[in-house]
Amino acid sequence: MATSYDGLWLGRPGGAVAQRLQDAFHLPALSTSVAEARKRVLARLAEWGAHEELRDDAQLVVSELFTNAVRHTNSDRVRCELRVFADRLRVEVADQGREHATLCPRESGWEQEGGRGLMLVEALSDSWGVRPREGGQGRAVWAYLPTAGLPAQSAGLPDRPTGSSPLWA
């Protein structure tokens, strides 16, 4: 059965389909994979014509979410997904963790080394959240970033996905 995402194509209204602005990849749950995830996001967004600010913000969000998945779960692999809609980029990072821990920003003092990642995600995104991963193992953390200047804005893409997909919260 096709998901509601199958209707999200980049093309001119009434015209031929050009391409779908989405990408997903898996990497090992290793600290060295965080840099690779940033590189892949940068390359994909550059290919899509995203402006520098969006590329920088998306790299930072992916870096923070990917790092959390590597450090705080017992995952073997971490999945990253990018999807463009008319006025936003959805970044999602999913782990395989078996814990049922809640995810929320925490207060960190200036002298502490960590603990600011989700505060950065919150500051850079229009909204963000967490949901259980399909199949009940792990969780997916998502964030919407504004896409001002990305060519998809004039392509007639919907503001939000249609239908009820578990990927969207």
Side-chain angles (χ1 to χ4, degrees):
M1 178 171 166
T3 68
S4 60
Y5 300 123
D6 290 315
L8 304 176
W9 294 88
L10 173 60
R12 291 183 177 81
V17 171
Q19 71 183 57
R20 189 187 292 213
L21 291 183
Q22 68 177 28
D23 189 31
F25 56 89
H26 292 84
L27 292 172
L30 303 170
S31 59
T32 55
S33 295
V34 176
E36 178 64 24
R38 282 194 306 265
K39 282 194 263 184
R40 288 186 185 209
V41 167
L42 176 63
R44 181 61 67 213
L45 292 178
E47 179 182 304
W48 291 344
H51 57 85
E52 186 176 0
E53 183 179 354
L54 176 60
R55 293 190 314 255
D56 291 346
D57 289 352
Q59 281 187 96
L60 182 54
V61 167
V62 165
S63 182
E64 295 301 334
L65 298 181
F66 212 95
T67 297
N68 283 348
V70 169
R71 282 188 183 169
H72 303 294
T73 72
N74 55 354
S75 300
D76 294 322
R77 294 177 6 159
V78 177
R79 182 176 194 273
C80 181
E81 182 176 315
L82 305 170
R83 289 184 187 264
V84 174
F85 289 88
D87 64 346
R88 66 194 68 201
L89 167 68
R90 181 181 169 95
V91 175
E92 182 171 283
V93 175
D95 63 56
Q96 301 169 314
R98 288 146 191 80
E99 306 88 21
H100 296 287
T102 58
L103 194 63
C104 59
R106 69 178 194 214
E107 297 285 326
S108 292
W110 64 270
E111 71 284 349
Q112 290 179 310
E113 184 177 317
R116 293 176 192 81
L118 291 177
M119 290 185 336
L120 287 170
V121 170
E122 186 172 29
L124 293 172
S125 63
D126 287 343
S127 61
W128 73 277
V130 62
R131 66 171 177 79
R133 196 166 175 211
E134 292 85 19
Q137 289 230 307
R139 64 179 159 232
V141 183
W142 52 266
Y144 284 110
L145 303 174
T147 59
L150 191 64
Q153 281 198 279
S154 61
L157 293 172
D159 287 337
R160 294 196 182 268
T162 57
S164 58
S165 173
L167 288 177
W168 293 90

